[in-house]
């Protein structure tokens, strides 16, 4: 059975992301330095590469790297933010311009959907993101990639450029406030895993300078907080609005209006 609800002329089904708000997991004081531990920090989520996404929590002491809002006297935190909901959220690097965070360095988070996509059906992928207030850059190409089975990228911490996200933002998101990015796409295969991140190499990624430069520190990068991820089947969509409307490969999500 598929549960669907109607709101403002939008018919959406249940969220297929099992732990969309990252509330389940172990709060860890230190920064994440082992990709194999991602599933411990975030229930049901993992890192598909050897890069290490970060976990942040308001339940940690202010002396912890992973504490939010920004800890007291800590110089290496990526920025300060409150969760969009709950007490926890994720953080990923999407662009690097230093040797400490080298060119093409990317972080990703993956999870298995509650059920596979149905071929021929439309889905809305959505998440709330916030550009780190301390980093020097904001970048585009944040995207959602749906695959059959998990991406096996543990041999690299570079851009997974051989994968094409079904929904990708061409907008550079520079806001330190939470903004919703979302788009609609038509499923072409029974994908059961979603991966979030920037799947483009640096040459195909647009970035703007927000502050700095910070010489060779890891602050010369783009880093985004992520919270409240959803993937929902769209049964009937008459009006569709997002703070950032992001495009899909088949251009379905570029339409603000279409009839059922």
């Amino acid at each position: 059975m598929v549960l669907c609800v109607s709101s403002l002329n939008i018919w959406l089904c249940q969220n297929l992301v099992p732990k969309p708000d990252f509330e389940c997991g172990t709060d860890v004081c230190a920064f994440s330095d082992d990709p194999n531990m991602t599933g411990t920090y975030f229930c049901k989520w993992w890192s598909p590469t050897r890069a290490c996404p970060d976990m942040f929590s308001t339940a940690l002491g202010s002396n912890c790297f992973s504490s939010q809002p920004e800890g007291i006297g800590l110089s290496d935190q990526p920025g300060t933010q409150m969760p969009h909901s709950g007490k926890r959220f994720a953080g990923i690097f999407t662009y690097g311009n230093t040797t400490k965070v080298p060119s093409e360095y990317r972080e990703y988070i993956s999870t298995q959907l509650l059920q596979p996509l149905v071929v021929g059906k439309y889905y809305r992928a959505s998440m709330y993101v916030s550009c780190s207030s301390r980093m020097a850059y904001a970048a585009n190409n944040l995207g959602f990639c749906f695959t059959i089975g998990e991406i096996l990228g543990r041999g690299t911490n570079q851009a997974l450029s051989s994968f094409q996200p079904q929904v990708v933002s061409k907008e550079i998101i520079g806001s330190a406030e939470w903004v919703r990015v979302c788009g609609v796409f038509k499923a072409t295969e029974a994908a059961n895993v979603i991966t979030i991140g920037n799947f483009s190499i640096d040459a195909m990624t647009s970035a703007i300078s927000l502050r700095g430069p910070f010489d060779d520190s890891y602050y010369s990068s783009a880093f985004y907080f992520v919270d409240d991820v959803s993937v929902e089947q769209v049964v009937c969509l008459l009006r569709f609005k997002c703070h950032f409307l992001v495009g899909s490969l088949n251009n379905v999500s570029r339409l603000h209006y279409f009839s059922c």
Side-chain angles (χ1 to χ4, degrees):
M1 177 181 293
V2 179
L3 176 65
C4 304
V5 296
S6 173
S7 176
L8 298 177
N9 295 328
I10 301 174
W11 280 86
L12 296 170
C13 298
Q14 71 186 95
N15 188 359
L16 299 181
V17 179
K19 300 294 181 182
D21 52 8
F22 306 102
E23 290 303 297
C24 176
T26 302
D27 288 346
V28 179
C29 184
F31 67 90
S32 307
D33 59 358
D34 182 357
N36 295 312
M37 293 297 294
T38 303
T40 300
Y41 305 145
F42 305 118
C43 297
K44 304 294 186 180
W45 292 85
W46 67 85
S47 171
T49 70
R50 61 183 175 89
C52 303
D54 290 302
M55 174 276 302
F56 299 97
S57 173
T58 59
L60 288 167
S62 59
N63 62 327
C64 292
F65 170 87
S66 300
S67 66
Q68 289 292 335
E70 191 173 47
I72 300 173
L74 299 179
S75 60
D76 58 350
Q77 283 186 307
T80 184
Q81 183 56 275
M82 293 293 290
H84 180 260
S85 69
K87 66 176 185 178
R88 310 173 89 244
F89 53 96
I92 56 174
F93 280 100
T94 67
Y95 175 81
N97 195 35
T98 81
T99 57
K100 191 169 183 179
V101 181
S103 177
E104 315 298 349
Y105 178 81
R106 303 285 187 270
E107 292 177 350
Y108 301 90
I109 48 176
S110 297
T111 192
Q112 183 169 329
L113 301 177
L114 294 175
Q115 61 190 49
L117 304 184
V118 178
V119 175
K121 300 296 185 181
Y122 289 94
Y123 292 84
R124 183 180 72 176
S126 171
M127 63 181 167
Y128 284 87
V129 302
S130 166
C131 184
S132 168
S133 58
R134 274 196 173 184
M135 297 299 172
Y137 294 96
N140 69 347
N141 288 337
L142 267 172
F144 305 81
C145 185
F146 293 82
T147 55
I148 297 177
E150 64 181 281
I151 293 174
L152 301 176
R154 284 300 177 89
T156 183
N157 60 9
Q158 306 292 288
L160 297 173
S161 56
S162 62
F163 293 88
Q164 292 185 313
Q166 285 80 354
V167 176
V168 59
S169 173
K170 293 304 181 183
E171 299 283 349
I172 295 176
I173 303 169
S175 173
E177 302 297 322
W178 288 108
V179 295
R180 188 183 195 184
V181 296
C182 57
V184 173
F185 69 99
K186 185 177 183 180
T188 58
E189 60 182 5
N192 64 344
V193 172
I194 181 176
T195 300
I196 293 171
N198 176 8
F199 294 84
S200 298
I201 62 175
D202 284 355
M204 301 299 292
T205 298
S206 298
I208 59 172
S209 177
L210 299 177
R211 57 194 66 83
F214 290 100
D215 300 322
D216 202 31
S217 76
Y218 88 128
Y219 293 114
S220 290
S221 313
F223 186 93
Y224 286 87
F225 301 119
V226 181
D227 204 357
D228 291 329
V229 182
S230 66
V231 176
E232 300 158 293
Q233 184 181 330
V234 178
V235 176
C236 177
L237 180 55
L238 299 181
R239 285 203 304 246
F240 175 61
K241 290 185 178 180
C242 293
H243 294 285
F244 286 90
L245 183 67
V246 299
S248 66
L249 296 180
N250 57 20
N251 290 324
V252 170
S253 65
R254 297 183 186 279
L255 301 179
H256 286 268
Y257 299 90
F258 66 94
S259 58
C260 304

